[in-house]
Amino acid sequence: MAAQASCSAKQLSQLDQAARVAGRRASSAHVANTTAAATWFGAYNARRYQTIAGNFKKIAAATSRLTYNCVRACKGYSDRTYAYAIKPYGVTICPPFWNIEKNGGYYSKPFGLVHETSHLVADTGDIYGEEESKKLAKTDPAKAAQNADNYAYFSASAQ
């Protein structure tokens, strides 16, 4: 992890821990013909699942190269925005990020970093929320394979 002057030592420690957990989750995300994979990425399709598995490898590798910018306000974003990605490996951390769980499942710091890292390395988009992500997997699996929340939910649920 590369530090930014805008983050305190305590914040960097939390980010380092979250990045390690996010990296472990991404590297252990076994995308196979399973119920969990179908929940987040739709019915099994070998080519699509191979792409998803490759994206998880990229996410796992990138979590150790992230740089952070901790800000007091995320101008132009909702007050609920936790973070946003800036290529090639930057993540701006917004104030709500510090109020989410350290290492829990959904809506935790590692969940947020998997989400943001997927934008950086897999050019994913944003359709937010658990129910919307599940619906996307059923109705448009190709789009689910290109949605940041689907990667984050799968990595958290596979633990």
Side-chain angles (χ1 to χ4, degrees), residues 15 18-19 22 66 68 91 93 97 109-117:
L15 288 164
L66 297 175
Y68 302 101
V91 178
I93 304 296
F97 184 86
K109 289 174 176 64
F111 177 97
L113 293 182
V114 168
H115 175 107
E116 296 306 329
T117 306

Side-chain angles (χ1 to χ4, degrees), residues 89-147:
Y89 294 107
V91 178
T92 296
I93 304 296
C94 301
F97 184 86
W98 306 112
N99 298 324
I100 57 177
E101 290 183 50
K102 278 186 183 179
N103 295 317
Y106 300 161
Y107 310 113
S108 64
K109 289 174 176 64
F111 177 97
L113 293 182
V114 168
H115 175 107
E116 296 306 329
T117 306
S118 77
H119 290 312
L120 297 170
V121 299
D123 292 320
T124 56
D126 278 322
I127 294 176
Y128 295 112
E130 183 177 1
E131 292 310 312
E132 288 302 312
S133 296
K134 286 179 178 177
K135 181 178 170 184
L136 190 62
K138 287 181 183 176
T139 61
D140 193 345
K143 203 167 194 175
Q146 285 300 307
N147 188 50

Side-chain angles (χ1 to χ4, degrees), residues 34-45:
T34 64
T35 302
T39 297
W40 301 111
F41 297 112
Y44 181 77
N45 173 286

